[in-house]
Amino acid sequence: MKHEIATVRGRQIWDSRGRPTVEAEITLAGGATGRACAPAGASRGAHEAIDLRDGGDRFGGFGVDRAVAAVNGEVAHALAGRDVRDQAGLDAVLAGLDGTPNFARLGANAAVAVSLAALHAAAAAKGRPLWRHLAEGRPVRIPLPEVQIFGGGAHAGRRTDVQDFMVMCPRAPTVRRAFEITADVYRAAGAIMEQTGRLAGVADEGGWWPMFASNEEALETLAQAIDRSGHRAGEDVFISLDVAANELAHGDGYRLPLDGAELTSEAMVERVAGWAARFPILSIEDPVGQDDTAGMALATERLGERVQIIGDDFLVTNAERVRRAADAGACNAVLVKVNQAGTVTKAKAALDAARALGWAAIVSARSGETEDVSITHLSVGWDAGQLKVGSFTRSERMAKWNELLRIEEQMGDDAVYAGAGALPASVGRGIPERQE
Ligand code: PGA
Ligand code: ZN
C-alpha cells in the first residue's frame, strides 16, 4: 500500500519572529514524504481555531511542546495506516480526535501542519507539484498578488492604525510583470520615506515601518510612491488596505489613535469610504470588527460595487460564517488562512462557500511565517485567484512569491494571470482598460 501513512513526526522549528512553531513530516509506506509548517497570526480573530501555546516563562509563553507532543503521540497513532489520498477523511480524524469546535485541545498549529503535510505527501506520491495535484487537470490561474508596502497596526508597534498598505497590479500581463512593478513601488516608497524622515526600518511582514502623522498621510505617500515609480496609480497600480479594524474596536465603536478619532461603526465606514473616494483603492479588508455585521453590510452596500470587501477576522475561513455574512449582505470576498480553520478541508469549504456566492477569494499568509510555500500552491491549485503574502522583502515572504514564478514557468504556455478577473465581478469590470 504505497499511499498508506507510515509515520507522522512533529518537531519544533522557529518562525519569522523567532518564535517556536510546529513542523510536521509524514512518510508513506511507498517512501514519499510531505512536510509543512504552521504559521502564526498577530492580529487574530476571536473566532479562529486555537493556536496552542505552552504559556509560562519559556520563550515568552510561545512554546509549542504540547502541540508537538500531540503530533508525535495521539495524532501519529490515529493516522498511521490511513490512505493519504483521503484528505477529507484524515482531516475528519483530526477534528474528531481533537473533539472541540476549534482545535483547542490538540492545537490548530498541530492540526494545520499535519493536514498540509498529508497533502504534500499525497502530491509527492503522485510525483506532481502540489498545485497540479490540487488542480486535478482543471485549468487554474496564476493569482493576482496583494503586496504590502507599509506595515502598521499590530505588525509595526501600532505606528499606523491601518495594518496593511498594499498594492495590486490587476492589469499587468503576467505575475512576473506585476512583481516588477511592485518592486519599483516598494523602492520608491522607501526613498520618499527616507527623504522625508519617515522611515524607521521594516515591519513584521517586510513592509516599511512608517512614521506617519495620520493614516491619510500613509495613503498620500503610497500614491506618491506609485507616481515616483513611473507607473500609473489607478491604471497599473491600485491600493489595497487591510484595516484590521478588530484591533481598533473600542466600546461600541472604533478608536484610531493616530488620527485622534473615536468613531461609531457608521462613522468608521464613512471614514474608510472617504479614503476610497480620494485614493485608487480597489480592496479593503476588515473595515470593521469581527462581530460588526451591520458595519460590514454598510461598507459592502456603500463600496462593494467598486471595491473588494474582504472578511478576514470577520469570516475566519469558516464556511458557516461566510454564508451568514452573505445573508446579511456583508463582504464580497473571503480571506483564506488554513490555520484559522485548522485543516485543509475546512479551509477549502470556506473557499467553496464563497465561490458559490460569486465572491472573490484570497489565500493568505500570516504575519508569523516560515519558508513553507504551501499557500502559493493552494492559491494556484484551488484557482483562488488572489494571494496575499506580506511585503516584497524577507525570505519567508519572497519564498512564496518566488514559488509563483516557478509555477508560472511550469505552466509554460498555459499560464494565465488571473489579474482583474480575480476580483468580484463588478469591481473587475470597473477597472479602466490600460492605455498603452
Ligand atoms: P495576522 O494578520 O497577524 O493575524 O497574521 C494578518 C492579516 O490581518 O491579514
Ligand atoms: Zn487581515
Side-chain angles (χ1 to χ4, degrees):
M1 257 298 281
K2 179 181 165 198
H3 295 98
E4 220 171 72
I5 294 179
T7 60
V8 179
R9 190 187 165 82
R11 66 175 69 91
Q12 179 202 298
I13 59 162
W14 301 89
D15 75 9
S16 55
R17 285 191 272 248
R19 290 178 186 164
T21 191
V22 181
E23 176 168 276
E25 191 162 329
I26 291 184
T27 304
L28 306 184
T33 64
R35 195 178 74 195
C37 320
S43 65
R44 298 201 308 270
H47 307 292
E48 43 179 291
I50 302 286
D51 202 17
L52 189 66
R53 300 287 177 173
D54 297 334
D57 296 334
R58 209 163 153 259
F59 308 136
F62 287 104
V64 292
D65 285 357
R66 286 190 295 155
V68 168
V71 175
N72 284 322
E74 45 183 320
V75 170
H77 185 71
L79 295 187
R82 290 187 182 266
D83 190 324
V84 79
R85 290 170 297 186
D86 179 16
Q87 183 75 40
L90 297 179
D91 287 342
V93 169
L94 287 172
L97 193 61
D98 176 77
T100 74
N102 56 358
F103 285 102
R105 200 177 72 77
L106 297 174
N109 39 358
V112 75
V114 170
S115 182
L116 282 167
L119 187 64
H120 280 283
K126 272 201 217 161
R128 290 193 191 148
L130 181 52
W131 71 268
R132 213 187 274 282
H133 168 66
L134 290 167
E136 294 179 316
R138 288 181 295 261
V140 293
R141 300 164 296 169
I142 296 287
L144 165 67
E146 271 189 271
V147 191
Q148 188 193 69
I149 304 297
F150 310 135
H155 302 157
R158 307 197 182 269
R159 204 52 202 74
T160 56
D161 302 317
V162 173
Q163 179 183 280
D164 294 306
F165 294 86
M166 297 168 285
V167 294
M168 303 171 97
C169 303
R171 282 280 181 248
T174 60
V175 79
R176 188 170 294 271
R177 185 66 194 136
F179 286 149
E180 289 170 0
I181 295 169
T182 302
D184 287 340
V185 174
Y186 186 83
R187 217 173 41 248
I192 293 174
M193 290 165 76
E194 194 163 11
Q195 279 159 14
T196 54
R198 284 172 174 74
L199 185 59
V202 294
D204 247 3
E205 298 189 351
W208 300 116
W209 181 305
M211 309 264 282
F212 294 125
S214 66
N215 293 291
E216 185 141 347
E217 191 191 353
L219 282 162
E220 276 159 11
T221 308
L222 184 50
Q224 269 171 28
I226 296 169
D227 277 350
R228 171 94 65 106
S229 75
H231 303 287
R232 283 166 289 208
E235 236 175 87
D236 299 317
V237 188
F238 291 81
I239 295 174
S240 165
L241 300 179
D242 181 1
V243 181
N246 214 35
E247 301 283 313
L248 307 172
H250 180 69
D252 288 340
Y254 301 90
R255 175 145 67 182
L256 281 63
L258 188 61
D259 289 354
E262 296 234 5
L263 305 171
T264 62
S265 173
E266 290 85 8
M268 182 72 195
V269 171
E270 203 52 46
R271 171 139 327 197
V272 171
W275 293 335
R278 286 196 295 285
F279 298 96
I281 292 174
L282 204 54
S283 182
I284 302 174
E285 182 176 326
D286 285 345
V288 296
Q290 60 191 8
D291 293 312
D292 188 354
T293 305
M296 194 63 104
L298 181 62
T300 308
E301 187 194 322
R302 286 279 317 263
L303 300 168
E305 277 294 300
R306 58 195 173 83
V307 179
Q308 171 168 264
I309 305 293
I310 308 173
D312 169 15
D313 296 336
F314 189 77
L315 298 171
V316 291
T317 315
N318 179 310
E320 192 44 46
R321 284 183 75 90
V322 167
R323 285 187 282 266
R324 263 189 278 147
D327 286 344
C331 304
N332 58 24
V334 64
L335 202 76
V336 176
K337 292 169 165 170
V338 182
N339 80 327
Q340 279 182 333
T343 63
V344 170
T345 304
K346 283 185 196 234
K348 179 65 167 28
L351 177 91
D352 289 342
R355 223 181 330 232
L357 293 160
W359 285 14
I362 304 91
V363 173
S364 173
R366 303 302 306 243
S367 50
E369 273 292 339
T370 64
E371 63 275 25
D372 187 295
V373 296
S374 304
I375 59 163
T376 304
H377 286 265
L378 297 179
S379 71
V380 177
W382 285 344
D383 196 31
Q386 297 179 60
L387 178 62
K388 180 187 178 201
V389 162
S391 193
F392 212 63
T393 62
R394 308 202 346 177
S395 286
E396 80 279 4
R397 313 291 149 189
M398 301 318 292
K400 294 165 181 67
W401 298 133
N402 288 338
E403 187 73 355
L404 208 45
L405 295 173
R406 293 183 196 104
I407 294 173
E408 184 189 41
E409 194 179 295
Q410 286 163 10
M411 286 183 175
D413 291 343
D414 292 338
V416 173
Y417 176 53
L423 296 161
S426 67
V427 179
R429 277 195 305 272
I431 299 178
E433 281 303 327
R434 200 169 177 280
Q435 309 295 314
E436 290 306 328

